[in-house]
Amino acid sequence: MAALDPDHYPVDPWRLVEARFEPAAAALGETLFAIGNGYLGMRANSSDGRDAHEHGTFINGLHETWPIRHAEHAYGFAEVGQTIVNAPDAKVIRLYVDDEPFDPGTAEFLEFEHSLDFRTGISRRAVVWRTPGGKRVRVVGTRMVSFVERHLAIITFEVELLDDAAPVTLSSQILNRQDAGDAGAGAPGTVDPRKAERLRERVLVPDGRWQEDGFSALGYRVANSGMTVAAMAHHTIETSDPIETEHSIGPDLAKDVFHIQAQPRSVIRLTKLVSYHTGSRAPVRELVDRCRRTIERAMHAGVDAEERRQREWLAAFWERSDVRVEHDDRLQQAIRWNLLQLAQASARADGLGIAAKGVTGSGYSGHYFWDGEIYALPFLVFTDPDAARNALRMRVRMLPAARRRARMLNEDGALFPWRSINGEEASAYYAAGTAQYHINADITYTIAKYVRATGDLQFLASGGIDVAVETARLWATLGFWRSSEAGDSFHIHGVTGPDEYTTVVNDNLFTNVMARFNLRYAARALDQLEREQPSDFALAVERLGIAPAEPEEWLRIADAIAIPYSEQLGVHPQDSHFLEREVWDLANTPEDRHPLLLHYHPLVIYRFQVLKQADVVLALLLQGQHFTAEQKRADFDYYDPLTTGDSTLSAVVQAIVAAEIGYQDLALEYLRNAVYVDLEDRHGNTADGVHVASVGGVWMALVN
Amino acid sequence: MAALDPDHYPVDPWRLVEARFEPAAAALGETLFAIGNGYLGMRANSSDGRDAHEHGTFINGLHETWPIRHAEHAYGFAEVGQTIVNAPDAKVIRLYVDDEPFDPGTAEFLEFEHSLDFRTGISRRAVVWRTPGGKRVRVVGTRMVSFVERHLAIITFEVELLDDAAPVTLSSQILNRQDAGDAGAGAPGTVDPRKAERLRERVLVPDGRWQEDGFSALGYRVANSGMTVAAMAHHTIETSDPIETEHSIGPDLAKDVFHIQAQPRSVIRLTKLVSYHTGSRAPVRELVDRCRRTIERAMHAGVDAEERRQREWLAAFWERSDVRVEHDDRLQQAIRWNLLQLAQASARADGLGIAAKGVTGSGYSGHYFWDGEIYALPFLVFTDPDAARNALRMRVRMLPAARRRARMLNEDGALFPWRSINGEEASAYYAAGTAQYHINADITYTIAKYVRATGDLQFLASGGIDVAVETARLWATLGFWRSSEAGDSFHIHGVTGPDEYTTVVNDNLFTNVMARFNLRYAARALDQLEREQPSDFALAVERLGIAPAEPEEWLRIADAIAIPYSEQLGVHPQDSHFLEREVWDLANTPEDRHPLLLHYHPLVIYRFQVLKQADVVLALLLQGQHFTAEQKRADFDYYDPLTTGDSTLSAVVQAIVAAEIGYQDLALEYLRNAVYVDLEDRHGNTADGVHVASVGGVWMALVN
């Protein structure tokens, strides 16, 4: 958790730079220098393709399914496991000089620079390598995943002998790492639930390979999910020296090998155009055709043109998204790195969700959580509404599965899965999964935010209203009425709020506050449609079978929903019995017992007042209009010392609320913490991928 | 759930009899007619060894271990799965007449009777079979597992041709069903958590086989647990007809085959003496020797003598245990069957526990739960104190593991596993497993009951006090003090009581009442030792490091422990927030949605006031001295309508308490329900084994 060492990571407001090679930082670097566009992501694995924390090429939503085997099963437990697949790796370009391999793990570097340019989205590794035979060789590799052409990546590789002539071999590959290589995800026996599930059977079933005219392509069917994927590469080599080429292709490996009798000071330049296409059922053959069209279009335009379009795209991105800091280039660099991550996680998701790690790693199995809606989407709503709309359409598409899930849980309406890729609940631990019913309200909250910001009633009419209504219906059946002298009140029992260190509670404040919003918004959105688009309203009423009394009932529930409040302490309890718990002694909990979830049984943690992440305080942020300034301060004062920060979702929320109630220094401290979560690896697991929710929160904190 | 059909199951006060073969009742019959002695059990599979619900030969405690794979792991989750092993099956005697197999599943029976004699403990199948060729053959098989020689079983098999001569073949086998046969346990994909875990790898690793002098033996090492087992058979055949024999033995099958040129009206009689020995690490060779000694001793004594000793043992058993009913032979028969099950489950456990299904099936994986202490042991305490002491020693032996488990759960003292064979927690679902801390108090409660009934202070001194003290220590750290105007009170949060339809609650009444007993008893037992056996007291104080103030603190806690009570309703809430839950609408829950646990997600069930099994009412029974008659009646009236009876543990408890508060008719109804739980298969799963806790409860209800 040391601050970035400027000798190792020099300050540069527009680039992240690593100025020397340090093996201990290699795993972290794979994530920090990863590139992606929300659809396709490439971890910054070195080009030799050997040692890595996790070799990773990820395509948003490309997943395998498997039956979840519960150690003790019960009715309604999640059944369909889903894990993002490691797509065929086209990053590999092996270099041999005098038949000696270029292996960064052991190589002697005379010069080294690894960089990620925020204005080009291009990562670049430039080194001077002294071979075991003593020859100096300049090696410069660049990678770009296009924001403009989402199926396109461009890899360049330059080799220049600085001393004597030597035979140089470049072996460019597409390798199925999922099955034939070391995917590197999750050590066996790991107990960290935040890692990806490891698949044991063959996942990518070869379904066609093809090599001609300088093109190589591998196609696969994903064994159980039935998805299809094709990866294609085309090579252009420029050299003035004599060259021989050979090509080979097998089920899991395509090779294009170039043997050059290289002369000193003669630059060999390899350009590898790469394309990926995926389908839910499309024939692989068709995907291969699409890959070829993508590459041929890029060949026709030229690499320079593609790079120019990328720069233009990013110029526009920074124009609308940049947050400038005066007199602190380090912070400026860090903030821009965070903002770029949001683009890389979401820009071209094009109707897919935003995974917890974006496309930078397999952490959390590539699943979509509420992180997308609550932490990442606000950025898109205000900087790229089309992308926001596309991401929300993912939830509209999940609605049939969410309706089935609600039935399984004995409720009306729809219940969105706590974690999922394909719409089926994949959380194997219901207490901190399925029980987080609040995801329903989180989704509708973000739909409301989008519609309010854009006025896009067409989205509302074409599916948004369905989500709002069906989520409202779930709350109406999940809760129940209770009468007392003080009047009727509506209660929601047996749910878990955002804080996963207290689970399955009654009247969780966050849940009830957000459910109240959900219920009111469903009614309001129907009103709005009726007024502004009556024919769409009529269609929705028919499609959803809405009785006239239904919205009234939602409003009645919303007005009566229980909002726990302790007159004695003057704070909102996190749930109706939260204050009866003992207070965890955080001050006397050794550093090496954090995060608590890895060192204490859930039963132990759940007995105490201790928070994994902001819960009441997040309600203060998202529904601030319902709380007075005094309440906000009292609640913040109460919960802040109980919050461990074991989740990266906390700091940004606490930063914003702290600022609002006037704790400027604390706000800045939390903000800095959030800004550097990944860059300084403050949770020790950035190697598994970027914390996308945290980077989204950084933007929220900056604009708040 | 129909009452026993007297044509199918004739009334007989001293035998259970099945008078005709009905394939639909075959699975149930395998359990009802099973024999055992608490160490060795044989399900009543037919001798041909083909179709079965579950072929089963069980040896108490003979288990395999395996790493529990949690779909989502967390710190402290149970790690060592344990499953009872299907011991090599020596029940198989295949009969061929004219080379036609005797297959009860398809055979034509001219006569049929299957019986279990309560005075001999011998099961008997006597049939007249018409072969496909039209010949009538009388076949009579008997089986006995000796209560006197716990390693001995005696199987006899008689064949008599009633018409013409024919070649008769008898193939007597020992078959490793666990690996080479169809163990029949648990269909793949089953969601019933009450079934046994199915093991996938080879479990019994062949470790020696041996066949000579009419003996056949197979020896195995259990792959992961390292236990060893040997099974041996010796055959004597009596016939006046020409006979040829052949013998063969392989890793998983030993065969002794007899070919007889049988004449009509000439009885062929095969006597198969069977012995099993097991060890935790003993060499298989040694076990084989022990088997041989067991069999040779029986050969020397003779089968008649062994059967006589068995009758004598059972005569003594009935002398001390029988409960007589006037004028109702059906009920008498049912009660005696229940009482016999208690003997069969426990008589010769000799230091092992009493599994939930005794030795009659692999249901619940052969695990020991609290059932042993709370439901089965009272019978032993009052009818066979040595057996009770032996069963309690199992808990003393588990103490080191229970101490480790307490540390893992962040507490002092010891925490006994909710379910286990080897002492390690094996419950993979903590909410209805590990969270049932009350097992600690249940064990100490039964130790107290045993010591009070027997005055056996030597048991207390040699381990009983250790259990009492260490369980008390757990309560002292698990709970916490709270101050209020009303004074200091002690609370226990985040535990589950006996009722598994409400989990992880605060101040569960049963738990707190039993913990109070536990704390006081630990102090009282120390007092008693100090007074009556001062040197043992001194040793215990030193061994356990007991500070003088410690027992005082236990008593202070016991006096202050929270006992939830609702002045408004005049009842004891099951836990501090139980009454805030909605009441489940049992009246409108369709019959086919029972048991609830198989038709509703736990989150749904947990939200409601609905009971799987008696909880407060069980506290009224076990700690009745702390409740007034009015309280008992009010609590019973409140909880009885909320109790589903989805567990077989309820009816007996409700019967006793109903009787106590004067609801005689209801008490009788519950008692009848309990008496017939298995005989009428009222829970639909008796085929998986006898509900030992229920049969124990029947005895409690009868003597109360």
Side-chain angles (χ1 to χ4, degrees):
Chain A
M1 265 181 57
L4 291 174
D5 169 4
D7 289 337
H8 187 190
Y9 297 102
V11 176
D12 182 332
W14 282 108
R15 295 193 311 156
L16 182 68
V17 183
E18 191 176 15
R20 63 170 188 263
F21 181 72
E22 287 197 5
L28 176 62
E30 289 175 23
T31 295
L32 296 185
F33 293 88
I35 53 174
N37 61 13
Y39 169 74
L40 171 64
M42 290 181 171
R43 286 174 62 78
N45 307 114
S46 65
S47 54
D48 68 301
R50 291 183 185 88
D51 294 345
H53 174 75
E54 180 183 25
H55 289 288
T57 305
F58 297 108
I59 299 175
N60 192 344
L62 178 68
H63 70 281
E64 177 59 317
T65 57
W66 41 278
I68 297 178
R69 196 174 137 75
H70 294 276
E72 189 168 327
H73 194 85
Y75 178 87
F77 277 12
E79 291 173 2
V80 184
Q82 300 147 50
T83 300
I84 195 163
V85 162
N86 211 328
D89 183 358
K91 302 187 302 298
V92 184
I93 299 176
R94 293 195 169 160
L95 164 66
Y96 303 82
V97 174
D98 285 325
D99 295 332
E100 296 287 348
F102 173 60
D103 174 357
T106 59
E108 180 185 356
F109 291 119
L110 302 177
E111 296 175 22
F112 179 95
E113 190 189 77
H114 193 188
S115 63
L116 173 62
D117 190 311
F118 308 151
R119 285 183 286 207
T120 64
I122 292 175
S123 72
R124 181 173 182 275
R125 254 200 201 83
V127 305
V128 174
W129 166 41
R130 180 162 19 213
T131 70
K135 290 176 180 160
R136 293 176 308 137
V137 186
R138 182 180 306 283
V139 185
V140 181
T142 73
R143 292 179 193 154
M144 178 185 108
V145 170
S146 173
F147 284 108
V148 181
E149 297 278 352
R150 71 174 186 147
H151 299 282
L152 179 69
I154 298 175
I155 298 173
T156 70
F157 200 77
E158 287 182 3
V159 180
E160 181 185 5
L161 303 186
L162 301 182
D163 302 316
D164 303 323
V168 167
T169 296
L170 289 172
S171 173
S172 177
Q173 308 185 354
I174 308 176
L175 170 61
N176 171 12
R177 295 220 176 251
Q178 179 71 49
D179 302 292
D182 168 24
T190 176
V191 299
D192 189 343
R194 302 167 301 181
K195 296 233 181 198
E197 179 70 22
R198 195 185 188 82
L199 301 169
R200 284 134 199 270
E201 315 276 322
R202 178 172 265 271
V203 170
L204 294 177
V205 180
D207 189 10
R209 52 187 193 261
W210 180 71
Q211 196 170 44
E212 62 182 58
D213 305 337
F215 292 89
S216 293
L218 295 175
Y220 298 92
R221 191 170 41 75
V222 187
N224 296 319
S225 76
M227 294 187 76
T228 47
V229 56
M232 180 182 285
H234 178 271
H235 297 87
T236 308
I237 190 147
E238 298 158 74
T239 174
S240 52
D241 300 324
I243 181 166
E244 280 174 37
T245 63
E246 56 180 279
H247 311 282
S248 66
I249 192 161
D252 290 320
L253 179 62
K255 269 193 193 178
D256 290 84
V257 185
F258 306 92
H259 302 284
I260 301 115
Q261 297 300 328
Q263 297 303 311
R265 295 292 170 187
S266 153
V267 175
I268 303 161
R269 181 179 165 89
L270 177 67
T271 303
K272 185 175 186 177
L273 299 179
V274 175
S275 178
Y276 291 91
H277 280 266
T278 47
S280 60
R281 300 276 156 187
V284 168
R285 183 71 235 177
E286 184 192 323
L287 301 182
V288 170
D289 289 346
R290 288 196 224 159
C291 285
R292 181 154 182 171
R293 285 203 292 278
T294 298
I295 289 179
E296 286 180 337
R297 200 161 54 242
M299 289 167 70
H300 189 258
V303 167
D304 288 349
E306 293 296 350
E307 289 181 357
R308 190 178 61 246
R309 294 167 75 194
Q310 176 93 337
R311 282 195 305 275
E312 289 164 4
W313 192 98
L314 278 163
F317 170 80
W318 289 117
E319 179 64 32
R320 62 182 188 261
S321 316
D322 197 15
V323 176
R324 290 190 182 79
V325 189
E326 301 292 322
H327 312 305
D328 190 341
D329 279 354
R330 174 59 97 194
L331 184 61
Q332 181 70 72
Q333 176 187 37
I335 288 171
R336 288 204 176 114
W337 180 88
N338 276 274
L339 296 176
L340 181 67
Q341 296 311 312
L342 280 173
Q344 295 202 145
S346 66
R348 298 305 308 274
D350 291 19
L352 299 162
I354 300 168
K357 300 289 180 184
V359 285
T360 64
S362 66
Y364 292 105
S365 299
H367 287 180
Y368 313 135
F369 293 77
W370 68 317
D371 309 34
E373 279 78 13
I374 292 299
Y375 291 90
L377 271 168
F379 170 77
L380 293 182
V381 165
F382 292 105
T383 65
D384 191 353
D386 281 350
R389 178 192 170 108
N390 284 339
L392 288 170
R393 287 220 67 81
M394 179 267 291
R395 295 301 189 180
V396 175
R397 269 197 306 279
M398 280 186 177
L399 200 46
R403 286 188 174 112
R404 288 196 301 275
R405 185 69 183 152
R407 263 6 121 253
M408 193 115 193
L409 274 287
N410 230 40
E411 310 299 345
D412 288 348
L415 176 59
F416 282 90
W418 176 243
R419 56 188 298 173
S420 184
I421 298 177
N422 67 8
E424 303 292 332
E425 176 65 88
S427 171
Y429 179 58
Y430 72 78
T434 298
Q436 296 200 45
Y437 287 79
H438 67 82
I439 190 166
N440 256 21
D442 306 333
I443 291 167
T444 295
Y445 172 84
T446 305
I447 287 175
K449 184 185 280 273
Y450 167 78
V451 171
R452 193 170 56 239
T454 62
D456 181 359
L457 289 188
Q458 199 277 328
F459 171 76
L460 201 58
S462 68
I465 192 69
D466 301 60
V467 173
V469 165
E470 290 287 70
T471 51
R473 282 172 167 167
L474 178 117
W475 298 117
T477 57
L478 177 64
F480 65 98
W481 288 95
R482 180 182 293 152
S483 301
S484 75
E485 306 92 58
D488 292 350
S489 54
F490 192 82
H491 299 266
I492 297 173
H493 278 195
V495 302
T496 299
D499 169 34
E500 297 176 358
Y501 282 174
T502 311
T503 67
V504 193
V505 297
N506 298 345
D507 289 327
N508 168 254
L509 179 107
F510 179 87
T511 303
N512 287 16
V513 163
M514 293 296 286
R516 179 172 65 186
F517 174 87
N518 192 159
L519 291 155
R520 288 178 176 158
Y521 181 72
R524 194 162 70 234
L526 282 171
D527 268 357
Q528 189 180 8
L529 268 192
E530 186 171 18
R531 276 184 282 107
E532 303 183 27
Q533 307 203 167
S535 64
D536 284 329
F537 172 76
L539 284 171
V541 164
E542 190 185 335
R543 185 169 70 239
L544 295 164
I546 297 168
E550 215 179 342
E552 287 164 32
E553 174 67 7
W554 298 336
L555 294 174
R556 205 167 74 84
I557 292 172
D559 290 343
I561 205 161
I563 305 294
Y565 185 72
S566 163
E567 295 289 350
Q568 194 189 339
L569 295 179
V571 301
H572 291 91
Q574 185 169 311
D575 58 74
S576 58
H577 304 302
F578 186 80
L579 300 176
E580 297 169 19
R581 295 166 202 266
E582 281 187 278
V583 174
W584 186 286
D585 185 1
L586 270 181
N588 289 310
T589 303
E591 195 58 44
D592 64 4
R593 300 273 266 173
H594 286 274
L596 302 185
L597 69 95
L598 296 187
H599 298 93
Y600 297 91
H601 193 288
L603 277 172
V604 176
I605 297 174
Y606 296 171
R607 274 188 202 110
F608 289 86
Q609 295 189 39
V610 63
L611 277 65
K612 185 177 172 204
Q613 63 214 69
D615 197 293
V616 169
V617 173
L618 181 59
L620 303 181
L621 170 59
L622 301 185
Q623 291 286 281
Q625 71 276 24
H626 294 293
F627 298 89
T628 66
E630 294 72 41
Q631 286 176 339
K632 286 181 189 177
R633 186 184 279 256
D635 286 344
F636 185 90
D637 287 348
Y638 190 83
Y639 289 102
D640 191 55
L642 300 177
T643 306
T644 56
D646 286 352
S647 161
T648 59
L649 303 183
S650 276
V652 289
V653 175
Q654 284 161 297
I656 300 171
V657 176
E660 190 184 341
I661 61 177
Y663 294 169
Q664 298 307 332
D665 291 350
L666 187 59
L668 272 178
E669 187 187 323
Y670 275 128
L671 177 59
R672 292 189 86 92
N673 193 7
V675 166
Y676 291 102
V677 154
D678 286 317
L679 287 167
E680 294 178 356
D681 195 18
R682 290 188 174 209
H683 283 252
N685 61 0
T686 292
D688 297 332
V690 167
H691 294 89
V692 170
S694 179
V695 302
V698 165
W699 178 84
M700 288 199 285
L702 291 171
V703 299
N704 255 277
Chain B
M1 264 181 61
L4 293 174
D5 169 5
D7 289 337
H8 187 192
Y9 297 102
V11 175
D12 182 332
W14 281 108
R15 295 193 311 155
L16 182 67
V17 184
E18 190 175 16
R20 63 169 188 264
F21 180 73
E22 288 197 6
L28 177 62
E30 288 176 22
T31 295
L32 296 185
F33 294 86
I35 53 174
N37 61 11
Y39 169 73
L40 171 64
M42 290 182 172
R43 286 175 63 78
N45 307 114
S46 65
S47 55
D48 69 300
R50 291 182 185 90
D51 295 343
H53 174 74
E54 179 183 26
H55 289 288
T57 305
F58 298 108
I59 299 176
N60 192 344
L62 178 67
H63 71 281
E64 176 59 316
T65 57
W66 40 277
I68 297 178
R69 194 174 141 77
H70 294 276
E72 189 169 326
H73 195 84
Y75 178 88
F77 277 11
E79 291 173 3
V80 185
Q82 299 147 52
T83 300
I84 194 164
V85 162
N86 211 329
D89 182 359
K91 303 187 302 297
V92 184
I93 299 177
R94 294 196 168 159
L95 164 67
Y96 303 82
V97 175
D98 285 326
D99 296 332
E100 296 287 348
F102 173 61
D103 174 358
T106 59
E108 180 185 357
F109 291 119
L110 302 176
E111 295 176 22
F112 178 95
E113 190 190 77
H114 193 188
S115 63
L116 173 62
D117 190 311
F118 310 150
R119 284 182 288 204
T120 64
I122 292 176
S123 71
R124 182 173 181 275
R125 255 200 201 84
V127 306
V128 174
W129 166 42
R130 181 161 22 210
T131 69
K135 290 175 182 161
R136 293 176 309 137
V137 186
R138 182 180 306 282
V139 185
V140 181
T142 72
R143 293 178 193 155
M144 178 186 107
V145 170
S146 173
F147 284 108
V148 181
E149 296 277 353
R150 70 175 187 148
H151 299 280
L152 179 69
I154 298 175
I155 298 173
T156 70
F157 201 77
E158 286 182 4
V159 180
E160 181 186 3
L161 302 185
L162 301 182
D163 301 315
D164 304 323
V168 167
T169 296
L170 290 172
S171 172
S172 177
Q173 309 185 354
I174 307 176
L175 170 62
N176 171 12
R177 296 222 176 250
Q178 178 71 50
D179 302 291
D182 168 23
T190 176
V191 299
D192 189 342
R194 302 165 301 179
K195 296 233 181 198
E197 179 70 21
R198 195 187 188 80
L199 300 170
R200 284 135 200 270
E201 316 275 323
R202 180 173 264 272
V203 170
L204 294 176
V205 180
D207 189 11
R209 52 187 193 262
W210 179 72
Q211 196 169 46
E212 62 182 59
D213 305 337
F215 292 89
S216 293
L218 295 174
Y220 298 92
R221 189 170 41 76
V222 187
N224 297 318
S225 75
M227 294 187 76
T228 47
V229 57
M232 180 182 284
H234 177 273
H235 297 87
T236 309
I237 191 146
E238 298 159 74
T239 173
S240 53
D241 299 324
I243 182 167
E244 281 175 35
T245 62
E246 55 179 278
H247 310 283
S248 67
I249 192 161
D252 290 320
L253 179 63
K255 269 192 193 181
D256 290 84
V257 185
F258 307 91
H259 302 284
I260 301 115
Q261 298 299 329
Q263 297 302 311
R265 294 295 170 185
S266 154
V267 175
I268 304 161
R269 181 181 165 89
L270 177 67
T271 302
K272 185 177 188 177
L273 299 179
V274 175
S275 178
Y276 291 90
H277 279 266
T278 47
S280 60
R281 301 273 154 188
V284 168
R285 183 72 234 177
E286 183 191 324
L287 301 181
V288 169
D289 288 347
R290 290 195 222 160
C291 285
R292 181 154 183 172
R293 285 202 291 277
T294 298
I295 289 178
E296 285 180 338
R297 200 162 53 242
M299 289 166 72
H300 190 258
V303 169
D304 289 350
E306 293 296 350
E307 290 180 357
R308 190 178 62 243
R309 294 166 76 195
Q310 176 92 337
R311 282 195 305 276
E312 289 165 3
W313 191 98
L314 277 163
F317 169 80
W318 290 115
E319 180 65 31
R320 62 182 188 261
S321 316
D322 196 15
V323 176
R324 289 190 183 79
V325 189
E326 301 292 322
H327 313 304
D328 189 341
D329 280 354
R330 173 59 96 195
L331 185 60
Q332 181 71 71
Q333 176 186 37
I335 287 171
R336 289 205 176 112
W337 180 88
N338 275 274
L339 296 176
L340 180 67
Q341 295 312 312
L342 280 173
Q344 296 202 144
S346 66
R348 298 305 308 275
D350 290 20
L352 300 161
I354 300 167
K357 301 290 180 184
V359 285
T360 65
S362 66
Y364 292 105
S365 299
H367 288 181
Y368 313 135
F369 293 77
W370 67 316
D371 309 34
E373 278 78 13
I374 293 298
Y375 291 89
L377 271 168
F379 170 77
L380 293 182
V381 165
F382 292 105
T383 65
D384 192 353
D386 281 350
R389 178 193 170 108
N390 284 338
L392 288 170
R393 288 220 65 83
M394 180 266 291
R395 296 301 189 180
V396 175
R397 269 198 307 280
M398 280 187 178
L399 200 46
R403 287 188 173 113
R404 288 195 302 274
R405 184 70 183 150
R407 263 7 121 250
M408 194 115 192
L409 274 287
N410 230 41
E411 310 298 345
D412 288 349
L415 176 60
F416 282 91
W418 177 243
R419 56 188 299 174
S420 184
I421 298 176
N422 68 7
E424 304 291 333
E425 175 66 88
S427 171
Y429 179 58
Y430 72 80
T434 299
Q436 296 200 46
Y437 286 79
H438 67 82
I439 190 166
N440 257 20
D442 306 333
I443 292 167
T444 295
Y445 173 85
T446 304
I447 287 174
K449 183 185 282 271
Y450 167 79
V451 172
R452 193 171 56 238
T454 61
D456 182 359
L457 289 188
Q458 198 277 327
F459 170 76
L460 201 58
S462 68
I465 192 68
D466 302 59
V467 172
V469 165
E470 290 287 72
T471 50
R473 283 173 167 166
L474 178 117
W475 298 118
T477 57
L478 177 65
F480 65 100
W481 287 96
R482 179 181 295 151
S483 300
S484 74
E485 306 92 59
D488 292 349
S489 54
F490 192 82
H491 299 266
I492 297 173
H493 278 195
V495 303
T496 299
D499 169 33
E500 297 176 358
Y501 281 175
T502 311
T503 67
V504 193
V505 297
N506 297 345
D507 289 327
N508 169 255
L509 179 106
F510 178 87
T511 303
N512 287 16
V513 163
M514 293 296 285
R516 179 172 66 186
F517 173 87
N518 192 160
L519 290 155
R520 287 177 177 160
Y521 181 72
R524 193 163 71 236
L526 282 171
D527 268 357
Q528 189 180 9
L529 269 191
E530 186 171 19
R531 276 183 283 107
E532 303 184 27
Q533 308 203 166
S535 64
D536 285 328
F537 170 75
L539 284 171
V541 163
E542 190 185 335
R543 184 169 71 240
L544 296 163
I546 297 168
E550 215 179 342
E552 288 165 32
E553 174 66 7
W554 298 335
L555 294 174
R556 205 167 73 85
I557 292 172
D559 290 344
I561 205 161
I563 305 294
Y565 184 73
S566 163
E567 295 287 351
Q568 194 189 340
L569 295 180
V571 301
H572 291 90
Q574 184 169 311
D575 59 75
S576 58
H577 305 302
F578 186 80
L579 300 176
E580 298 170 17
R581 295 165 202 266
E582 281 187 278
V583 174
W584 186 286
D585 185 0
L586 271 180
N588 289 311
T589 303
E591 195 57 44
D592 64 3
R593 301 272 265 172
H594 286 274
L596 303 185
L597 69 96
L598 295 187
H599 298 93
Y600 297 91
H601 193 287
L603 277 172
V604 176
I605 297 174
Y606 296 170
R607 274 189 201 108
F608 289 86
Q609 294 189 38
V610 64
L611 277 65
K612 185 177 173 205
Q613 62 214 72
D615 196 294
V616 169
V617 172
L618 181 58
L620 303 181
L621 171 58
L622 300 186
Q623 291 286 282
Q625 71 276 24
H626 294 295
F627 298 89
T628 66
E630 294 72 42
Q631 287 176 336
K632 287 180 188 178
R633 185 184 279 256
D635 286 343
F636 185 90
D637 286 349
Y638 190 83
Y639 290 102
D640 192 54
L642 300 177
T643 306
T644 56
D646 286 351
S647 162
T648 58
L649 303 182
S650 274
V652 289
V653 175
Q654 284 162 296
I656 300 170
V657 177
E660 189 184 343
I661 61 177
Y663 295 171
Q664 298 308 331
D665 291 350
L666 187 59
L668 272 178
E669 186 187 323
Y670 276 126
L671 177 59
R672 292 189 85 91
N673 194 7
V675 166
Y676 290 103
V677 154
D678 287 317
L679 287 167
E680 295 178 355
D681 194 18
R682 291 189 173 205
H683 284 252
N685 62 359
T686 292
D688 297 331
V690 167
H691 293 91
V692 170
S694 179
V695 303
V698 164
W699 177 84
M700 288 199 285
L702 291 171
V703 299
N704 255 277

